[in-house]
């Protein structure tokens, strides 16, 4: 699997550019493909799990030298989804998101309990070495 989750205290999120540079990976904003898709006359952006996953796919396809991407602001997208949709998004990222051209390291605030996978799901991420606490 090429998707991992990095939980950071909120105050450390501001230093993501430095962290990405230190790790030698590119930092990208998960919202950008969604924002780029908005029509000039569009007033609202309806978000679905599919939109979120397609946004990540778009990021994977962007020309970058690195084969790993640090993806920020997923919490802002997940906050727009309902509980069931968030569970579906995490399930897709955990089990159904292999074979991407780049690895994704999704950074989330560790205090965003309602947006994160359940404790049981986090245990699976941790056991598989895909959770950076």
């Amino acid at each position: 699997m090429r998707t991992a989750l990095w939980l950071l205290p909120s105050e450390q999120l501001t230093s993501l550019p430095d962290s990405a540079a230190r790790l030698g990976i590119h930092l990208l904003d998960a919202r950008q493909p969604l924002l780029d898709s908005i029509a000039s006359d569009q007033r609202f952006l309806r978000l679905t799990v599919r939109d979120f996953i397609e946004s990540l796919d778009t990021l994977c396809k962007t020309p970058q030298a690195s084969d790993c991407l640090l993806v920020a602001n997923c919490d802002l997208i997940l906050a727009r989804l309902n509980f069931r949709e968030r569970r579906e998004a995490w399930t897709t990222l955990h089990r159904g998101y292999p074979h991407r051209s780049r690895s994704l390291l999704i950074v989330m605030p560790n205090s965003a309990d309602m947006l994160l996978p359940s404790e049981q799901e986090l245990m699976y991420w941790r056991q598989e070495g895909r959770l950076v606490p």
Side-chain angles (χ1 to χ4, degrees), residues 89-109:
W90 285 117
T91 299
T92 300
L93 290 171
H94 182 255
R95 294 189 215 148
Y97 203 67
H99 312 300
R100 298 299 182 259
S101 56
R102 292 191 169 81
S103 298
L104 297 177
L105 179 54
I106 297 172
V107 65
M108 292 281 293

PDB file of all heavy atoms in Angstrom, residues 89-109:
ATOM      1  N   ALA A  89     -14.346   7.126   3.153  1.00  0.00           N
ATOM      2  CA  ALA A  89     -13.095   7.704   2.652  1.00  0.00           C
ATOM      3  C   ALA A  89     -11.894   7.010   3.290  1.00  0.00           C
ATOM      4  O   ALA A  89     -10.951   6.625   2.590  1.00  0.00           O
ATOM      5  CB  ALA A  89     -13.058   9.202   2.942  1.00  0.00           C
ATOM      6  N   TRP A  90     -11.917   6.821   4.611  1.00  0.00           N
ATOM      7  CA  TRP A  90     -10.794   6.172   5.284  1.00  0.00           C
ATOM      8  C   TRP A  90     -10.666   4.709   4.868  1.00  0.00           C
ATOM      9  O   TRP A  90      -9.556   4.199   4.705  1.00  0.00           O
ATOM     10  CB  TRP A  90     -10.922   6.306   6.805  1.00  0.00           C
ATOM     11  CG  TRP A  90     -10.581   7.683   7.268  1.00  0.00           C
ATOM     12  CD1 TRP A  90     -11.408   8.565   7.891  1.00  0.00           C
ATOM     13  CD2 TRP A  90      -9.326   8.353   7.126  1.00  0.00           C
ATOM     14  NE1 TRP A  90     -10.742   9.739   8.136  1.00  0.00           N
ATOM     15  CE2 TRP A  90      -9.460   9.637   7.691  1.00  0.00           C
ATOM     16  CE3 TRP A  90      -8.093   7.988   6.587  1.00  0.00           C
ATOM     17  CZ2 TRP A  90      -8.409  10.557   7.726  1.00  0.00           C
ATOM     18  CZ3 TRP A  90      -7.047   8.915   6.612  1.00  0.00           C
ATOM     19  CH2 TRP A  90      -7.210  10.175   7.179  1.00  0.00           C
ATOM     20  N   THR A  91     -11.790   4.035   4.697  1.00  0.00           N
ATOM     21  CA  THR A  91     -11.746   2.640   4.244  1.00  0.00           C
ATOM     22  C   THR A  91     -11.114   2.566   2.860  1.00  0.00           C
ATOM     23  O   THR A  91     -10.272   1.705   2.597  1.00  0.00           O
ATOM     24  CB  THR A  91     -13.168   2.030   4.237  1.00  0.00           C
ATOM     25  OG1 THR A  91     -13.680   2.053   5.567  1.00  0.00           O
ATOM     26  CG2 THR A  91     -13.149   0.604   3.702  1.00  0.00           C
ATOM     27  N   THR A  92     -11.504   3.476   1.983  1.00  0.00           N
ATOM     28  CA  THR A  92     -10.924   3.498   0.635  1.00  0.00           C
ATOM     29  C   THR A  92      -9.431   3.759   0.701  1.00  0.00           C
ATOM     30  O   THR A  92      -8.642   3.081   0.030  1.00  0.00           O
ATOM     31  CB  THR A  92     -11.617   4.579  -0.232  1.00  0.00           C
ATOM     32  OG1 THR A  92     -13.004   4.261  -0.320  1.00  0.00           O
ATOM     33  CG2 THR A  92     -11.007   4.645  -1.618  1.00  0.00           C
ATOM     34  N   LEU A  93      -9.026   4.715   1.509  1.00  0.00           N
ATOM     35  CA  LEU A  93      -7.600   5.029   1.615  1.00  0.00           C
ATOM     36  C   LEU A  93      -6.807   3.885   2.250  1.00  0.00           C
ATOM     37  O   LEU A  93      -5.657   3.653   1.898  1.00  0.00           O
ATOM     38  CB  LEU A  93      -7.396   6.313   2.414  1.00  0.00           C
ATOM     39  CG  LEU A  93      -7.849   7.573   1.703  1.00  0.00           C
ATOM     40  CD1 LEU A  93      -7.804   8.765   2.657  1.00  0.00           C
ATOM     41  CD2 LEU A  93      -7.001   7.833   0.474  1.00  0.00           C
ATOM     42  N   HIS A  94      -7.439   3.165   3.161  1.00  0.00           N
ATOM     43  CA  HIS A  94      -6.730   2.072   3.834  1.00  0.00           C
ATOM     44  C   HIS A  94      -6.678   0.799   2.995  1.00  0.00           C
ATOM     45  O   HIS A  94      -5.634   0.172   2.858  1.00  0.00           O
ATOM     46  CB  HIS A  94      -7.379   1.775   5.187  1.00  0.00           C
ATOM     47  CG  HIS A  94      -6.662   0.709   5.937  1.00  0.00           C
ATOM     48  ND1 HIS A  94      -7.170  -0.564   6.053  1.00  0.00           N
ATOM     49  CD2 HIS A  94      -5.481   0.713   6.585  1.00  0.00           C
ATOM     50  CE1 HIS A  94      -6.317  -1.290   6.748  1.00  0.00           C
ATOM     51  NE2 HIS A  94      -5.291  -0.547   7.091  1.00  0.00           N
ATOM     52  N   ARG A  95      -7.806   0.412   2.433  1.00  0.00           N
ATOM     53  CA  ARG A  95      -7.882  -0.883   1.748  1.00  0.00           C
ATOM     54  C   ARG A  95      -7.932  -0.813   0.235  1.00  0.00           C
ATOM     55  O   ARG A  95      -7.533  -1.749  -0.442  1.00  0.00           O
ATOM     56  CB  ARG A  95      -9.135  -1.624   2.198  1.00  0.00           C
ATOM     57  CG  ARG A  95      -9.105  -2.020   3.624  1.00  0.00           C
ATOM     58  CD  ARG A  95     -10.268  -2.930   3.926  1.00  0.00           C
ATOM     59  NE  ARG A  95     -10.723  -2.652   5.272  1.00  0.00           N
ATOM     60  CZ  ARG A  95     -11.957  -2.752   5.668  1.00  0.00           C
ATOM     61  NH1 ARG A  95     -12.886  -3.110   4.824  1.00  0.00           N
ATOM     62  NH2 ARG A  95     -12.282  -2.491   6.902  1.00  0.00           N
ATOM     63  N   GLY A  96      -8.465   0.256  -0.304  1.00  0.00           N
ATOM     64  CA  GLY A  96      -8.762   0.262  -1.727  1.00  0.00           C
ATOM     65  C   GLY A  96      -8.053   1.324  -2.518  1.00  0.00           C
ATOM     66  O   GLY A  96      -8.584   1.814  -3.503  1.00  0.00           O
ATOM     67  N   TYR A  97      -6.846   1.679  -2.102  1.00  0.00           N
ATOM     68  CA  TYR A  97      -6.153   2.760  -2.788  1.00  0.00           C
ATOM     69  C   TYR A  97      -4.724   2.365  -3.169  1.00  0.00           C
ATOM     70  O   TYR A  97      -3.798   3.139  -3.022  1.00  0.00           O
ATOM     71  CB  TYR A  97      -6.151   3.994  -1.877  1.00  0.00           C
ATOM     72  CG  TYR A  97      -5.981   5.291  -2.603  1.00  0.00           C
ATOM     73  CD1 TYR A  97      -6.950   5.767  -3.468  1.00  0.00           C
ATOM     74  CD2 TYR A  97      -4.843   6.055  -2.420  1.00  0.00           C
ATOM     75  CE1 TYR A  97      -6.795   6.961  -4.122  1.00  0.00           C
ATOM     76  CE2 TYR A  97      -4.678   7.252  -3.075  1.00  0.00           C
ATOM     77  CZ  TYR A  97      -5.655   7.701  -3.927  1.00  0.00           C
ATOM     78  OH  TYR A  97      -5.501   8.886  -4.583  1.00  0.00           O
ATOM     79  N   PRO A  98      -4.530   1.152  -3.672  1.00  0.00           N
ATOM     80  CA  PRO A  98      -3.176   0.751  -4.059  1.00  0.00           C
ATOM     81  C   PRO A  98      -2.843   1.202  -5.479  1.00  0.00           C
ATOM     82  O   PRO A  98      -3.673   1.779  -6.182  1.00  0.00           O
ATOM     83  CB  PRO A  98      -3.247  -0.776  -3.993  1.00  0.00           C
ATOM     84  CG  PRO A  98      -4.656  -1.061  -4.376  1.00  0.00           C
ATOM     85  CD  PRO A  98      -5.481   0.081  -3.806  1.00  0.00           C
ATOM     86  N   HIS A  99      -1.649   0.930  -5.885  1.00  0.00           N
ATOM     87  CA  HIS A  99      -1.198   1.095  -7.268  1.00  0.00           C
ATOM     88  C   HIS A  99      -1.274   2.528  -7.771  1.00  0.00           C
ATOM     89  O   HIS A  99      -1.611   2.761  -8.924  1.00  0.00           O
ATOM     90  CB  HIS A  99      -1.957   0.158  -8.212  1.00  0.00           C
ATOM     91  CG  HIS A  99      -2.024  -1.244  -7.713  1.00  0.00           C
ATOM     92  ND1 HIS A  99      -0.905  -2.001  -7.472  1.00  0.00           N
ATOM     93  CD2 HIS A  99      -3.079  -2.010  -7.364  1.00  0.00           C
ATOM     94  CE1 HIS A  99      -1.259  -3.180  -7.015  1.00  0.00           C
ATOM     95  NE2 HIS A  99      -2.578  -3.214  -6.931  1.00  0.00           N
ATOM     96  N   ARG A 100      -0.978   3.474  -6.947  1.00  0.00           N
ATOM     97  CA  ARG A 100      -0.880   4.862  -7.391  1.00  0.00           C
ATOM     98  C   ARG A 100       0.557   5.119  -7.809  1.00  0.00           C
ATOM     99  O   ARG A 100       1.484   4.451  -7.355  1.00  0.00           O
ATOM    100  CB  ARG A 100      -1.285   5.837  -6.277  1.00  0.00           C
ATOM    101  CG  ARG A 100      -2.732   5.700  -5.815  1.00  0.00           C
ATOM    102  CD  ARG A 100      -3.695   5.963  -6.969  1.00  0.00           C
ATOM    103  NE  ARG A 100      -5.076   5.893  -6.595  1.00  0.00           N
ATOM    104  CZ  ARG A 100      -5.878   4.853  -6.828  1.00  0.00           C
ATOM    105  NH1 ARG A 100      -5.420   3.775  -7.380  1.00  0.00           N
ATOM    106  NH2 ARG A 100      -7.145   4.903  -6.491  1.00  0.00           N
ATOM    107  N   SER A 101       0.742   6.101  -8.651  1.00  0.00           N
ATOM    108  CA  SER A 101       2.080   6.394  -9.151  1.00  0.00           C
ATOM    109  C   SER A 101       2.972   6.989  -8.067  1.00  0.00           C
ATOM    110  O   SER A 101       4.192   6.945  -8.188  1.00  0.00           O
ATOM    111  CB  SER A 101       1.999   7.349 -10.342  1.00  0.00           C
ATOM    112  OG  SER A 101       1.300   8.531  -9.972  1.00  0.00           O
ATOM    113  N   ARG A 102       2.367   7.539  -7.034  1.00  0.00           N
ATOM    114  CA  ARG A 102       3.137   8.118  -5.937  1.00  0.00           C
ATOM    115  C   ARG A 102       2.538   7.680  -4.603  1.00  0.00           C
ATOM    116  O   ARG A 102       1.333   7.502  -4.484  1.00  0.00           O
ATOM    117  CB  ARG A 102       3.112   9.639  -6.018  1.00  0.00           C
ATOM    118  CG  ARG A 102       3.865  10.154  -7.216  1.00  0.00           C
ATOM    119  CD  ARG A 102       4.046  11.654  -7.116  1.00  0.00           C
ATOM    120  NE  ARG A 102       4.973  12.082  -8.128  1.00  0.00           N
ATOM    121  CZ  ARG A 102       4.647  12.289  -9.394  1.00  0.00           C
ATOM    122  NH1 ARG A 102       3.418  12.095  -9.794  1.00  0.00           N
ATOM    123  NH2 ARG A 102       5.553  12.681 -10.256  1.00  0.00           N
ATOM    124  N   SER A 103       3.401   7.585  -3.621  1.00  0.00           N
ATOM    125  CA  SER A 103       2.930   7.328  -2.261  1.00  0.00           C
ATOM    126  C   SER A 103       2.359   8.612  -1.690  1.00  0.00           C
ATOM    127  O   SER A 103       2.822   9.706  -2.018  1.00  0.00           O
ATOM    128  CB  SER A 103       4.084   6.862  -1.381  1.00  0.00           C
ATOM    129  OG  SER A 103       4.622   5.670  -1.855  1.00  0.00           O
ATOM    130  N   LEU A 104       1.374   8.464  -0.837  1.00  0.00           N
ATOM    131  CA  LEU A 104       0.764   9.612  -0.183  1.00  0.00           C
ATOM    132  C   LEU A 104       0.982   9.512   1.318  1.00  0.00           C
ATOM    133  O   LEU A 104       0.679   8.488   1.927  1.00  0.00           O
ATOM    134  CB  LEU A 104      -0.734   9.665  -0.456  1.00  0.00           C
ATOM    135  CG  LEU A 104      -1.178   9.847  -1.894  1.00  0.00           C
ATOM    136  CD1 LEU A 104      -2.702   9.811  -1.979  1.00  0.00           C
ATOM    137  CD2 LEU A 104      -0.653  11.144  -2.451  1.00  0.00           C
ATOM    138  N   LEU A 105       1.507  10.567   1.887  1.00  0.00           N
ATOM    139  CA  LEU A 105       1.606  10.699   3.327  1.00  0.00           C
ATOM    140  C   LEU A 105       0.612  11.798   3.702  1.00  0.00           C
ATOM    141  O   LEU A 105       0.854  12.981   3.451  1.00  0.00           O
ATOM    142  CB  LEU A 105       3.028  11.068   3.754  1.00  0.00           C
ATOM    143  CG  LEU A 105       3.279  11.264   5.239  1.00  0.00           C
ATOM    144  CD1 LEU A 105       2.837  10.041   6.050  1.00  0.00           C
ATOM    145  CD2 LEU A 105       4.756  11.561   5.492  1.00  0.00           C
ATOM    146  N   ILE A 106      -0.527  11.376   4.211  1.00  0.00           N
ATOM    147  CA  ILE A 106      -1.606  12.307   4.534  1.00  0.00           C
ATOM    148  C   ILE A 106      -1.397  12.811   5.950  1.00  0.00           C
ATOM    149  O   ILE A 106      -1.347  12.028   6.897  1.00  0.00           O
ATOM    150  CB  ILE A 106      -2.973  11.615   4.396  1.00  0.00           C
ATOM    151  CG1 ILE A 106      -3.184  11.188   2.938  1.00  0.00           C
ATOM    152  CG2 ILE A 106      -4.094  12.518   4.885  1.00  0.00           C
ATOM    153  CD1 ILE A 106      -4.397  10.331   2.714  1.00  0.00           C
ATOM    154  N   VAL A 107      -1.255  14.121   6.078  1.00  0.00           N
ATOM    155  CA  VAL A 107      -1.046  14.715   7.393  1.00  0.00           C
ATOM    156  C   VAL A 107      -2.377  15.247   7.910  1.00  0.00           C
ATOM    157  O   VAL A 107      -3.144  15.861   7.176  1.00  0.00           O
ATOM    158  CB  VAL A 107       0.041  15.819   7.346  1.00  0.00           C
ATOM    159  CG1 VAL A 107      -0.381  16.985   6.494  1.00  0.00           C
ATOM    160  CG2 VAL A 107       0.426  16.260   8.735  1.00  0.00           C
ATOM    161  N   MET A 108      -2.637  14.925   9.163  1.00  0.00           N
ATOM    162  CA  MET A 108      -3.889  15.337   9.814  1.00  0.00           C
ATOM    163  C   MET A 108      -3.563  15.828  11.222  1.00  0.00           C
ATOM    164  O   MET A 108      -2.637  15.314  11.858  1.00  0.00           O
ATOM    165  CB  MET A 108      -4.842  14.146   9.938  1.00  0.00           C
ATOM    166  CG  MET A 108      -5.407  13.617   8.641  1.00  0.00           C
ATOM    167  SD  MET A 108      -6.754  14.596   7.997  1.00  0.00           S
ATOM    168  CE  MET A 108      -8.037  14.314   9.218  1.00  0.00           C
ATOM    169  N   PRO A 109      -4.333  16.797  11.717  1.00  0.00           N
ATOM    170  CA  PRO A 109      -4.150  17.201  13.118  1.00  0.00           C
ATOM    171  C   PRO A 109      -4.572  16.056  14.042  1.00  0.00           C
ATOM    172  O   PRO A 109      -5.625  15.453  13.840  1.00  0.00           O
ATOM    173  CB  PRO A 109      -5.060  18.419  13.272  1.00  0.00           C
ATOM    174  CG  PRO A 109      -5.928  18.458  12.073  1.00  0.00           C
ATOM    175  CD  PRO A 109      -5.351  17.570  11.029  1.00  0.00           C
TER     176      PRO A 109
END
